[in-house]
Amino acid sequence: MTESWAAFGADLHIEPLGGGLRSGLTNALREAVRTGRLAPGTRLPSSRTLARDLGIARNTVADAYADLVAEGWLTARQGSGTSVAQRADAAGPRTPRTPSRQMRRRPVHNLMPGSPDVSTFPRAEWLKASKRALAAAPDQAFGYDDPQGRVELRTVLADYLARARGVYADPGRIVICSGFVHGLALMGKVLRQRGARQAAVESSGLDIHRNLLTAAGLATPCLPVDELGARTGDLRGMRRVGAALLTPAHQFPTGVPLHPDRRAAAVDWARSSGGLILEDDYDGEFRYDRLPVGALQGLDPERVVYMGTASKSLAPALRLAWMVLPEGLVREVCDAKGGPEWMTGSLDQLTLAEFIASGAYDRHVRAMRLRYRRRRDQLVETLAERAPDFRVSGIAAGLHAVLELPPGAEHTVVQAATWQGLALERLSRFGHPDAEARRDGLVIGYGTPSDSGWSGALDALCRVLP
């Protein structure tokens, strides 16, 4: 049978089933209602429209509708057309749409790390920037564009990163990508094509990053992390490692910055071995009690790949990130990214460029830095008052803190939090499989809750602590 759709009104794909036209159409409509493909209340095309689309007589459709109205599958009202009837058994054998147990227990309070307070997204300023960017956009911005990214965004990023993060960032060295994960996947592909076999990662970190490198064909041996950050001196003894993924500004999840001696050791290793450092500038813009820690890339732009994102400073939904590459890597990364069809949305890039150039980005980051610092202070003060036996660390920067727990208490606390409607993340969740020692603790994300939910989340946290 020829597939057909209604020309106007409600779109309807229907294929008559069985013998004659009338019975075949009736059977097809009945089956669509019975299985739930046509939900109760769905308005059907007029008999004239459906007859024209199917290439059959209007009376045939009208008779099929009338049969199903008589059977109770459809309803017809003067002036309202024909609709699927409200029936308790309309879904037939279809699996009921009951929420899962996990969905029914959706957390009331969320202290999971890794997300900013998205309720503070600067909608009005972003809309203004979007309007200005759209008005000034060249015609070619609406077509297929350079996979490296819009030059407007790369230009303002180069200025911003040099000023705010100490990055050597010529626009020609920048590649725009759809989030940090996208950029890391591209680097994994390029490293493997270059013949690398291993990429070292920190002993505490996100498994999704390890998995991306593993999927690219790279082994991921771990660098131990202590109170001074990753032990980068160990890289000299890892003969097959061709790259190292580090979070120098704010180690995730422990929160410590990489010690200056270890920063130098990482760069020395890259220079002597020909390896690359992949710098994840995690939470680099949010610092509170310390001087800014500049990007590692500034020590050697030819051996460090700087990777940043707007996910924490603005919102994850933007899917905008950037890589500042050694000059010789730019073409390889663009080739790995693919042709223009794989580019990041040009209009969002132009909006971000305008948002940064206008100063709105700096104003927003400063405002959020103050907001998150107040939350950090409230967290520390509340725990000192109501749970003084628990040590909080990793609080000089970022959007999360580590709350250390007694050995063996981690599972009990997280389970209690689940029943209290509080989402928490275990510190051990971020341990590398080969890590020698793991601490019990919680990684508390104080960036995630809205202002209205923050005090309630703090109360819930204190209730579940042993």
Side-chain angles (χ1 to χ4, degrees):
M1 289 289 181
T2 303
E3 295 184 354
S4 302
W5 284 265
F8 57 91
D11 288 337
L12 179 61
H13 168 67
I14 203 74
E15 295 185 16
L17 303 173
L21 286 177
R22 174 176 172 177
S23 62
L25 179 58
T26 303
N27 291 338
L29 289 168
R30 185 189 297 112
E31 183 68 10
V33 175
R34 187 187 67 79
T35 60
R37 187 167 71 83
L38 293 178
T42 299
R43 185 170 179 176
L44 300 183
S46 67
S47 58
R48 185 189 303 275
T49 297
L50 188 56
R52 182 170 60 246
D53 289 346
L54 293 176
I56 60 179
R58 180 184 178 187
N59 286 343
T60 302
V61 178
D63 290 343
Y65 279 2
D67 291 343
L68 294 172
V69 168
E71 295 176 14
W73 295 101
L74 304 179
T75 59
R77 292 184 177 87
Q78 186 69 30
S80 298
T82 304
S83 302
V84 176
Q86 299 288 341
R87 291 172 54 91
D89 60 344
R94 182 182 57 170
T95 303
R97 293 183 179 178
T98 56
S100 67
R101 182 174 299 178
Q102 183 179 5
M103 291 178 64
R104 289 198 299 268
R105 292 178 180 172
R106 187 174 183 177
V108 178
H109 303 292
N110 187 356
L111 291 177
M112 299 290 282
S115 178
D117 180 359
V118 294
S119 69
T120 62
F121 182 80
R123 304 182 190 211
E125 288 295 330
W126 185 262
L127 182 60
K128 292 177 184 177
S130 178
K131 289 180 178 179
R132 293 193 299 268
L134 191 61
D139 291 344
Q140 62 266 30
F142 298 91
Y144 294 108
D145 210 345
D146 186 349
Q148 190 173 347
R150 291 296 306 179
V151 67
E152 296 90 340
L153 178 56
R154 291 188 282 117
T155 300
V156 297
L157 274 175
D159 292 340
Y160 172 79
L161 294 173
R163 169 173 54 83
R165 300 297 301 127
V167 172
Y168 177 79
D170 182 272
R173 290 173 174 251
I174 297 176
V175 173
I176 307 301
C177 47
S178 301
F180 176 84
V181 165
H182 181 209
L184 184 59
L186 292 175
M187 283 308 307
K189 183 177 180 180
V190 169
L191 286 168
R192 192 66 185 86
Q193 289 174 344
R194 285 186 154 209
R197 294 291 183 270
Q198 296 184 358
V201 297
E202 295 166 331
S203 59
S204 289
L206 290 169
D207 57 0
I208 186 175
H209 296 168
R210 295 195 304 271
N211 293 341
L212 281 171
L213 295 172
T214 300
L218 298 165
T220 55
C222 70
L223 284 173
V225 172
D226 57 27
E227 67 277 2
L228 301 180
R231 286 177 10 199
T232 54
D234 292 4
L235 286 169
R236 288 192 176 275
M238 305 170 80
R239 300 300 179 188
R240 301 181 63 191
V241 167
L245 175 62
L246 303 176
T247 51
H250 186 240
Q251 203 282 326
F252 183 86
T254 66
V256 299
L258 189 61
H259 189 274
D261 290 345
R262 296 188 178 181
R263 291 163 67 93
V267 172
D268 288 345
W269 164 81
R271 288 171 176 166
S272 62
S273 68
L276 288 171
I277 297 169
L278 310 182
E279 179 179 11
D280 177 3
D281 195 26
Y282 187 83
D283 287 347
E285 291 156 316
F286 296 115
R287 78 274 178 182
Y288 313 120
D289 302 323
R290 70 183 188 206
L291 294 174
V293 178
L296 187 64
Q297 190 261 10
L299 297 180
D300 194 335
E302 295 304 323
R303 304 284 5 137
V304 181
V305 174
Y306 176 89
M307 307 173 76
T309 174
S311 293
K312 302 298 185 294
S313 56
L314 285 170
L318 292 179
R319 309 314 305 147
L320 285 172
W322 42 88
M323 294 185 286
V324 184
L325 300 163
E327 189 172 6
L329 269 179
V330 174
R331 183 44 49 199
E332 292 178 60
V333 170
C334 288
D335 289 344
K337 189 178 182 184
E341 65 272 15
W342 296 109
M343 68 181 186
T344 307
S346 293
L347 299 184
D348 284 341
Q349 291 185 55
L350 292 173
T351 300
L352 180 58
E354 175 62 30
F355 193 76
I356 296 173
S358 70
Y361 186 78
D362 281 281
R363 292 192 296 271
H364 176 72
V365 168
R366 285 196 297 270
M368 296 309 298
R369 191 181 295 145
L370 291 174
R371 180 187 297 267
Y372 292 140
R373 178 171 183 161
R374 285 194 294 268
R375 289 193 184 181
R376 191 277 316 261
D377 292 345
Q378 290 170 354
L379 171 67
V380 173
E381 291 167 4
T382 300
L383 290 173
E385 177 183 347
R386 299 174 59 179
D389 295 333
F390 296 92
R391 177 176 176 266
V392 183
S393 62
I395 58 174
L399 304 181
H400 71 269
V402 174
L403 180 63
E404 297 187 15
L405 296 175
E410 193 181 74
H411 176 75
T412 302
V413 171
V414 172
Q415 187 177 52
T418 301
W419 289 107
Q420 292 282 337
L422 172 64
L424 288 175
E425 189 60 274
R426 301 171 289 114
L427 178 60
S428 62
R429 156 78 172 73
F430 301 104
H432 190 286
D434 298 332
E436 295 179 358
R438 299 188 184 183
R439 296 179 294 163
D440 274 24
L442 302 173
V443 183
I444 301 171
Y446 51 80
T448 305
S450 64
D451 282 347
S452 61
W454 175 233
S455 60
L458 277 180
D459 289 339
L461 173 64
C462 292
R463 286 197 302 268
V464 302
L465 294 177

